[in-house]
């Protein structure tokens, strides 16, 4: 079985015009970066991988994760994690409850709390479980969003311009942390960005999509 994420001859059309075409295997711990200007179809490709592609797009090809074709699998069963440029934390939940939300169902309350505390420790936010997300800095929110996604135990990670809202110094720090955590878990990573520095830092292959 081929471990990793395979985009097998994926073609996406809109209004009978070709938008995106990609055929590539991403091995565990590797990053494939898709670059290009806004509107070129980068996020559309991610929507195809997560199973959330809007009905006005037509697509062919397959998404294969760890040897299993998940093209027709419902989005919530695909085990594909995604980070967006907005951290999307739930404002009505504490930091700890946000992280608990990422955990698979089951297990005792104490076991779940221990996992949450461990995740916070891993990203230098020990003791933050009871904090209101509104009190966090941009970098802290990004770390919580990352760990919530990793606690859901995904088999692949998608990055949709996740660093674009951070200032330069923070951007490099959060980017390094995201790649390090994902690679340590041997996740195949598919990133879309229009930022050359992000692409460079990822250290993997880069596909550039041109505007039609």
């Amino acid at each position: 079985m081929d471990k990793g994420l395979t985009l097998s001859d994926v073609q996406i059309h809109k209004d009978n015009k070709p938008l995106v075409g990609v055929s590539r295997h991403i091995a565990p711990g590797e990053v494939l970066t898709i670059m290009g200007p806004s509107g070129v179809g980068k996020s559309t490709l991610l929507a195809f991988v997560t199973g959330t592609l809007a009905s006005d797009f037509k697509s062919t090809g397959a998404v294969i994760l760890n040897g299993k074709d998940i093209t027709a699998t419902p989005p919530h069963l695909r085990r594909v994690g995604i980070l967006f440029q907005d951290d999307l934390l739930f404002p009505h939940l504490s930091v700890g409850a946000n992280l608990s939300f990422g955990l698979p169902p089951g297990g005792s309350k104490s076991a779940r709390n221990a996992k949450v505390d461990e995740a916070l420790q891993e990203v230098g936010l020990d003791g933050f479980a009871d904090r209101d997300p509104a009190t966090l800095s941009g970098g802290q929110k990004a770390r919580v969003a990352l760990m919530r996604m990793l606690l859901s135990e995904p088999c692949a990670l998608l990055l949709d311009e996740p660093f674009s809202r951070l200032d330069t110094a923070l951007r490099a720090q959060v980017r390094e942390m995201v790649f390090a955590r994902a690679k340590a878990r041997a996740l195949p990573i598919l990133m879309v960005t229009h930022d050359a520095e992000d692409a460079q830092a990822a250290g993997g292959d880069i596909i550039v999509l041109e505007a039609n």
Side-chain angles (χ1 to χ4, degrees):
M1 177 177 81
D2 267 343
K3 287 280 188 188
L5 177 66
T6 303
L7 304 177
S8 178
D9 197 19
V10 173
Q11 306 286 334
I12 303 173
H13 292 71
K14 189 172 186 188
D15 302 327
N16 294 322
K17 290 182 190 155
L19 189 62
V20 183
V22 178
S23 203
R24 192 65 71 97
H25 177 71
I26 310 164
E30 280 190 356
V31 186
L32 174 64
T33 299
I34 309 284
M35 280 196 75
S38 294
V40 82
K42 302 188 302 296
S43 294
T44 305
L45 177 64
L46 296 189
F48 177 74
V49 177
T50 57
T52 56
L53 190 66
S55 58
D56 52 341
F57 292 94
K58 298 286 172 260
S59 58
T60 55
V63 181
I64 298 161
L65 184 56
N66 293 338
K68 183 185 173 196
D69 188 335
I70 60 166
T71 318
T73 302
H76 66 288
L77 297 176
R78 290 190 177 210
R79 300 196 63 187
V80 173
I82 186 163
L83 284 180
F84 299 97
Q85 55 182 285
D86 295 315
D87 52 69
L88 301 179
L89 298 179
F90 300 118
H92 61 292
L93 297 180
S94 67
V95 165
N98 262 282
L99 287 173
S100 283
F101 187 84
L103 285 168
S108 68
K109 191 176 180 189
S110 60
R112 292 174 73 83
N113 288 345
K115 281 184 178 173
V116 165
D117 290 342
E118 205 179 292
L120 288 170
Q121 238 171 357
E122 188 179 333
V123 288
L125 296 177
D126 206 3
F128 274 61
D130 294 328
R131 289 276 291 272
D132 180 337
T135 66
L136 304 185
S137 68
Q140 289 168 337
K141 286 178 181 175
R143 285 185 260 172
V144 173
L146 169 68
M147 294 316 292
R148 181 179 65 184
M149 188 273 304
L150 292 177
L151 283 173
S152 70
E153 299 175 1
C155 296
L157 173 58
L158 310 184
L159 302 174
D160 191 355
E161 307 268 7
F163 317 117
S164 60
R165 294 218 168 173
L166 302 171
D167 64 47
T168 313
L170 198 53
R171 188 177 185 133
Q173 184 193 343
V174 171
R175 188 171 57 205
E176 193 177 312
M177 182 189 69
V178 169
F179 289 140
R181 296 292 178 283
K183 287 176 180 179
R185 287 164 172 80
L187 297 178
I189 306 162
L190 176 61
M191 176 172 74
V192 305
T193 184
H194 60 263
D195 187 278
E197 264 186 46
D198 285 351
Q200 202 89 43
D205 286 349
I206 299 170
I207 294 175
V208 180
L209 299 180
E210 306 289 350
N212 288 330

